[in-house]
Amino acid sequence: MEMPNTTQTTINHNKLHYDAQYKAVNIKAILQILNHVDRYLKAATRSDISWVGMYANGFKERIKGKTILELGCGDCVNVAIMAALGAKVVANDISDRSGTIIAALNKSYPFKHNITFISGDFTKTNLEAQCFDFVIGKAFLHHLTLDLEFEILKLVSRVLKPDGEARFFETAVNSKVLDELRWAVPMNDRPSKWLQPKAFKAWEAADPHPPRDNSSRHYKNVGNRLFRSVDILPLGIFERFCRMLPVNKKHAGRFKRIALELEKVLPKGVRCFGARSQVVIYRNSRF
Ligand SMILES: C[S@@+](CC[C@H](N)C(=O)[O-])C[C@H]1O[C@@H](n2cnc3c(N)ncnc32)[C@H](O)[C@@H]1O
């Protein structure tokens, strides 16, 4: 595919950003997680929204022996966990650091099936059609321009087995008001858009996310063009407020767990309006 300039700029920006970030990845810490994988997942899938989403609907129990492609594998914690749980894992990222991490993990952990790494632009790969049971991404699609997202999802629909499933854990922006509130509150290294406009502009210029539609409606529309079945699981209507409360780390975990449990009683439309994240599930390719 001939890439539009904005797409290539976004890819380069992401590569630079994450090549630098993943230099700090600690292989020993990942091995430590693998040595206590059940305990780690039990805690993470109750209180950490990205793990709650990624492993929703019994994902952990469904992957043993399955062939899984993870796009945007990043620090490789999730690919390592899936491989330790017995899946045959292929991983892709624009950052070559992910490949270095995977090589180190393959060397140090007795996976039943070593993890395979595909480096760089996924649209240039030549994978066999219908070869994966799952294609997944954790906080991946919202890093792509819409052009590239469509090309990648087209490929995903080609490499998924007929009974396979694509699942993406993504950020959700379904309410302008809540989104503006999010930008107003400073978070980690991100200054407030309204109280520190100059600093915010500088932060925004260095941020690897392209400006794009991250609504559930968008993910539904793009999915419907390529798949016959599209499901969205909205998450985080209450959990999103944890970061605004003056709670310490220990209590934050408890707050998040209760918030994520409590939201289940709400109607889906309400959860969708207030969601800060979503799991996007595509099945039954149209091709
Ligand atoms: C927010 S990080 C998420 C990493 C990991 N999945 C996790 O949950 O920690 C987004 C990842 O997508 C990768 N990425 C961004 N654009 C990409 C592209 N065009 N192709 C492959 N990977 C890409 C980045 O390098 C980064 O590792």
Side-chain angles (χ1 to χ4, degrees):
M1 158 199 160
E2 192 54 43
M3 300 241 190
N5 280 347
T6 44
T7 295
Q8 196 52 59
T9 308
T10 303
I11 291 175
N12 296 345
H13 196 158
N14 269 270
K15 181 166 167 44
L16 269 177
H17 181 91
Y18 285 104
D19 275 346
Q21 182 167 317
Y22 298 146
K23 274 188 191 150
V25 168
N26 182 341
I27 303 291
K28 279 194 185 143
I30 302 178
L31 293 171
Q32 190 68 7
I33 290 174
L34 299 185
N35 289 332
H36 305 280
V37 70
D38 287 322
R39 198 169 73 196
Y40 179 85
L41 269 186
K42 190 173 173 198
T45 58
R46 288 169 78 198
S47 59
D48 181 317
I49 195 163
S50 70
W51 293 96
V52 172
M54 197 76 255
Y55 281 75
N57 306 340
F59 184 67
K60 180 183 175 218
E61 286 70 36
R62 292 165 63 202
I63 63 175
K64 191 171 177 189
K66 300 289 188 208
T67 308
I68 306 181
L69 168 65
E70 178 164 345
L71 299 168
C73 62
D75 60 13
C76 304
V77 173
N78 191 46
V79 283
I81 286 180
M82 293 189 301
L85 291 173
K88 296 171 202 153
V89 182
V90 177
N92 167 250
D93 203 284
I94 202 74
S95 168
D96 295 328
R97 295 294 310 172
S98 302
T100 312
I101 298 166
I102 285 171
L105 290 171
N106 281 338
K107 229 173 162 180
S108 321
Y109 190 86
F111 295 116
K112 186 163 179 214
H113 311 280
N114 270 352
I115 305 162
T116 305
F117 182 63
I118 301 176
S119 168
D121 184 356
F122 179 63
T123 61
K124 303 243 158 62
T125 53
N126 212 355
L127 288 165
E128 245 176 70
Q130 304 190 341
C131 60
F132 291 104
D133 295 293
F134 291 96
V135 178
I136 69 162
K138 188 158 160 286
F140 166 66
L141 291 177
H142 73 279
H143 281 263
L144 311 177
T145 59
L146 296 184
D147 290 326
L148 183 58
E149 177 184 73
F150 188 70
E151 290 307 314
I152 287 185
L153 289 177
K154 222 161 66 182
L155 255 178
V156 169
S157 73
R158 204 180 78 83
V159 300
L160 257 190
K161 288 183 183 174
D163 59 350
E165 174 179 307
R167 63 163 58 201
F168 298 97
F169 171 84
E170 297 298 331
T171 194
V173 181
N174 293 332
S175 153
K176 247 210 148 330
V177 174
L178 286 173
D179 198 41
E180 286 306 321
L181 185 63
R182 176 168 76 101
W183 295 120
V185 179
M187 197 60 63
N188 304 327
D189 63 335
R190 187 187 78 207
S192 163
K193 182 176 176 182
W194 304 116
L195 304 175
Q196 303 150 283
K198 252 194 176 157
F200 181 84
K201 275 228 165 308
W203 172 87
E204 201 177 26
D207 182 55
H209 299 91
R212 50 161 283 167
D213 189 346
N214 287 309
S215 65
S216 300
R217 180 175 299 163
H218 161 73
Y219 285 110
K220 249 185 219 160
N221 288 344
V222 68
N224 278 327
R225 291 170 69 188
L226 298 163
F227 299 88
R228 288 194 181 83
S229 160
V230 175
D231 274 327
I232 308 278
L233 171 63
L235 285 172
I237 184 169
F238 300 137
E239 186 269 1
R240 68 185 305 149
F241 294 105
C242 177
R243 299 201 277 181
M244 295 178 195
L245 300 174
V247 285
N248 65 30
K249 219 174 161 192
K250 188 170 141 216
H251 291 123
R254 191 151 170 259
F255 175 94
K256 288 178 184 180
R257 204 164 58 240
I258 294 169
L260 287 161
E261 202 47 50
L262 241 157
E263 72 174 51
K264 291 179 186 164
V265 304
L266 297 176
K268 190 169 179 188
V270 177
R271 280 185 283 135
C272 194
F273 169 80
R276 91 164 169 100
S277 304
Q278 56 193 324
V279 188
V280 179
I281 298 186
Y282 298 142
R283 293 190 200 91
N284 297 330
S285 163
R286 291 189 182 276
F287 303 98

